[in-house]
Coordinates of all heavy atoms in Angstrom, one line a residue:
G116 N 13.0 -17.7 -13.2 CA 13.5 -16.3 -13.2 C 13.0 -15.5 -14.3 O 13.4 -14.4 -14.5
K117 N 12.1 -16.1 -15.1 CA 11.5 -15.3 -16.3 C 10.0 -15.8 -16.3 O 9.8 -16.9 -16.0 CB 12.2 -15.6 -17.6 CG 13.6 -15.1 -17.6 CD 14.2 -15.4 -19.0 CE 15.6 -14.8 -19.0 NZ 16.3 -15.1 -20.2
L118 N 9.2 -14.8 -16.8 CA 7.7 -15.2 -17.0 C 7.5 -15.5 -18.4 O 7.9 -14.8 -19.3 CB 6.9 -14.0 -16.5 CG 7.0 -13.5 -15.1 CD1 6.1 -12.3 -14.8 CD2 6.7 -14.6 -14.1
D119 N 6.9 -16.8 -18.6 CA 6.5 -17.1 -19.9 C 5.2 -16.5 -20.4 O 4.2 -16.7 -19.7 CB 6.2 -18.7 -20.0 CG 7.6 -19.5 -19.9 OD1 8.6 -18.9 -20.3 OD2 7.6 -20.6 -19.4
I120 N 5.3 -15.7 -21.4 CA 4.1 -15.0 -21.8 C 3.2 -16.1 -22.5 O 3.6 -16.8 -23.3 CB 4.4 -13.9 -22.8 CG1 5.2 -12.8 -22.1 CG2 3.2 -13.3 -23.5 CD1 5.8 -11.8 -23.0
G121 N 1.9 -16.1 -22.1 CA 1.0 -17.0 -22.6 C 0.8 -18.2 -21.7 O -0.1 -19.0 -21.9
V122 N 1.7 -18.3 -20.7 CA 1.6 -19.4 -19.7 C 1.6 -18.9 -18.3 O 0.6 -19.1 -17.5 CB 2.8 -20.4 -19.8 CG1 2.7 -21.5 -18.8 CG2 2.9 -21.0 -21.3
D123 N 2.6 -18.1 -17.9 CA 2.7 -17.5 -16.6 C 1.9 -16.2 -16.5 O 1.3 -15.9 -15.5 CB 4.1 -17.2 -16.1 CG 5.0 -18.4 -16.0 OD1 4.4 -19.5 -15.6 OD2 6.1 -18.5 -16.2
I124 N 1.9 -15.5 -17.6 CA 1.1 -14.2 -17.7 C 0.5 -14.2 -19.1 O 0.9 -14.9 -20.1 CB 2.0 -12.9 -17.6 CG1 3.2 -13.0 -18.6 CG2 2.5 -12.8 -16.1 CD1 4.0 -11.7 -18.6
P125 N -0.6 -13.5 -19.2 CA -1.4 -13.6 -20.6 C -0.6 -12.9 -21.7 O 0.0 -11.8 -21.4 CB -2.7 -12.9 -20.2 CG -2.7 -12.5 -18.7 CD -1.3 -12.8 -18.2
S126 N -0.8 -13.5 -22.9 CA -0.2 -12.7 -24.1 C -1.2 -11.6 -24.4 O -2.3 -11.5 -23.9 CB -0.1 -13.7 -25.2 OG -1.4 -14.2 -25.6
A127 N -0.9 -10.9 -25.4 CA -1.8 -9.8 -25.8 C -3.1 -10.4 -26.3 O -4.1 -9.8 -26.0 CB -1.1 -9.0 -26.9
T128 N -3.0 -11.4 -27.1 CA -4.3 -12.0 -27.6 C -5.1 -12.6 -26.4 O -6.3 -12.4 -26.4 CB -3.9 -13.2 -28.5 OG1 -3.0 -12.7 -29.5 CG2 -5.2 -13.8 -29.1
Q129 N -4.4 -13.2 -25.5 CA -5.2 -13.8 -24.3 C -5.8 -12.7 -23.5 O -7.0 -12.8 -23.0 CB -4.3 -14.6 -23.5 CG -3.9 -16.0 -24.2 CD -2.7 -16.6 -23.4 OE1 -1.9 -16.0 -22.8 NE2 -2.8 -18.0 -23.3
A130 N -5.0 -11.6 -23.3 CA -5.6 -10.5 -22.5 C -6.8 -9.9 -23.2 O -7.8 -9.6 -22.5 CB -4.5 -9.5 -22.4
E131 N -6.8 -9.8 -24.6 CA -8.0 -9.3 -25.2 C -9.2 -10.3 -25.1 O -10.3 -9.9 -24.8 CB -7.6 -9.1 -26.7 CG -8.7 -8.5 -27.4 CD -9.2 -7.0 -26.9 OE1 -8.4 -6.3 -26.5 OE2 -10.4 -6.7 -26.9
E132 N -8.8 -11.6 -25.2 CA -9.9 -12.6 -25.0 C -10.6 -12.5 -23.5 O -11.7 -12.6 -23.4 CB -9.3 -14.0 -25.2 CG -9.0 -14.3 -26.6 CD -8.3 -15.7 -26.7 OE1 -8.5 -16.5 -25.7 OE2 -7.6 -15.9 -27.7
L133 N -9.7 -12.4 -22.6 CA -10.1 -12.2 -21.2 C -11.0 -10.9 -21.0 O -12.1 -11.0 -20.4 CB -9.0 -12.1 -20.2 CG -8.1 -13.4 -20.1 CD1 -6.8 -13.2 -19.4 CD2 -9.0 -14.5 -19.4
L134 N -10.6 -9.9 -21.6 CA -11.4 -8.6 -21.6 C -12.8 -8.8 -22.2 O -13.9 -8.4 -21.7 CB -10.7 -7.4 -22.2 CG -9.5 -6.9 -21.4 CD1 -8.7 -6.0 -22.2 CD2 -10.0 -6.1 -20.2
Q135 N -12.8 -9.5 -23.4 CA -14.1 -9.7 -24.1 C -14.9 -10.6 -23.3 O -16.1 -10.4 -23.1 CB -13.8 -10.3 -25.5 CG -13.2 -9.3 -26.3 CD -12.9 -9.9 -27.7 OE1 -13.1 -11.0 -28.0 NE2 -12.4 -9.0 -28.6
Q136 N -14.4 -11.7 -22.7 CA -15.1 -12.7 -21.9 C -15.7 -12.0 -20.7 O -16.8 -12.2 -20.4 CB -14.1 -13.8 -21.5 CG -14.9 -14.9 -20.6 CD -13.9 -15.9 -20.2 OE1 -12.7 -15.9 -20.5 NE2 -14.4 -16.9 -19.4
Q137 N -14.9 -11.2 -20.1 CA -15.4 -10.4 -18.8 C -16.6 -9.4 -19.3 O -17.6 -9.4 -18.6 CB -14.3 -9.6 -18.1 CG -14.8 -8.9 -16.9 CD -13.7 -8.0 -16.3 OE1 -13.1 -7.3 -17.0 NE2 -13.5 -8.2 -15.0
R138 N -16.5 -8.8 -20.4 CA -17.5 -7.9 -20.9 C -18.8 -8.7 -21.1 O -19.8 -8.2 -20.8 CB -17.1 -7.2 -22.2 CG -17.5 -5.8 -22.3 CD -16.9 -5.1 -23.5 NE -15.4 -4.7 -23.3 CZ -14.5 -5.2 -24.1 NH1 -14.7 -5.9 -25.2 NH2 -13.2 -4.9 -23.9
R139 N -18.7 -9.9 -21.8 CA -19.8 -10.8 -22.1 C -20.5 -11.2 -20.8 O -21.8 -11.2 -20.7 CB -19.4 -11.9 -22.9 CG -19.2 -11.6 -24.4 CD -19.1 -13.0 -25.3 NE -18.1 -13.8 -24.7 CZ -16.8 -13.8 -25.1 NH1 -16.5 -12.9 -26.0 NH2 -15.9 -14.7 -24.6
L140 N -19.6 -11.6 -19.9 CA -20.2 -12.1 -18.6 C -21.1 -11.0 -17.9 O -22.0 -11.2 -17.2 CB -19.2 -12.7 -17.7 CG -18.6 -14.0 -18.1 CD1 -17.3 -14.3 -17.2 CD2 -19.6 -15.1 -18.1
R141 N -20.5 -9.8 -17.9 CA -21.2 -8.7 -17.2 C -22.4 -8.3 -18.0 O -23.4 -7.9 -17.4 CB -20.2 -7.5 -17.2 CG -19.2 -7.7 -16.2 CD -18.3 -6.5 -15.9 NE -17.5 -6.7 -14.8 CZ -16.5 -5.8 -14.4 NH1 -16.4 -4.7 -14.9 NH2 -15.7 -6.2 -13.3
E142 N -22.4 -8.3 -19.3 CA -23.5 -8.0 -20.1 C -24.7 -8.9 -20.0 O -25.9 -8.5 -19.8 CB -23.2 -7.8 -21.6 CG -22.4 -6.5 -21.9 CD -21.9 -6.6 -23.2 OE1 -22.1 -7.4 -24.0 OE2 -21.1 -5.6 -23.6
N143 N -24.5 -10.3 -20.0 CA -25.5 -11.2 -20.0 C -25.9 -11.7 -18.6 O -26.7 -12.5 -18.4 CB -25.2 -12.4 -20.9 CG -24.1 -13.2 -20.5 OD1 -23.7 -13.2 -19.3 ND2 -23.5 -14.0 -21.4
G144 N -25.0 -11.2 -17.5 CA -25.4 -11.6 -16.2 C -25.1 -13.0 -15.8 O -25.7 -13.5 -14.9
A145 N -24.3 -13.8 -16.7 CA -24.2 -15.2 -16.4 C -23.5 -15.5 -15.1 O -23.7 -16.5 -14.5 CB -23.2 -15.7 -17.5
W146 N -22.8 -14.5 -14.6 CA -22.1 -14.7 -13.2 C -23.2 -14.9 -12.1 O -23.0 -15.6 -11.1 CB -21.1 -13.6 -12.9 CG -21.6 -12.3 -13.0 CD1 -21.8 -11.5 -14.1 CD2 -22.2 -11.5 -11.9 NE1 -22.3 -10.3 -13.8 CE2 -22.6 -10.2 -12.5 CE3 -22.3 -11.7 -10.6 CZ2 -23.1 -9.2 -11.6 CZ3 -22.9 -10.7 -9.8 CH2 -23.3 -9.5 -10.3
K147 N -24.3 -14.1 -12.3 CA -25.4 -14.1 -11.3 C -26.1 -15.5 -11.3 O -26.4 -16.1 -10.3 CB -26.5 -13.0 -11.6 CG -25.9 -11.6 -11.3 CD -27.0 -10.6 -11.6 CE -26.5 -9.2 -11.4 NZ -27.4 -8.2 -11.9

Side-chain angles (χ1 to χ4, degrees):
K117 293 182 179 179
L118 300 178
D119 287 336
I120 296 174
V122 177
D123 295 326
I124 56 174
S126 67
T128 306
Q129 290 168 325
E131 188 57 39
E132 288 175 24
L133 292 168
L134 286 166
Q135 289 175 3
Q136 183 181 1
Q137 186 184 45
R138 219 175 285 122
R139 281 193 305 272
L140 288 170
R141 286 186 175 177
E142 287 171 0
N143 67 20
W146 57 274
K147 288 180 186 174

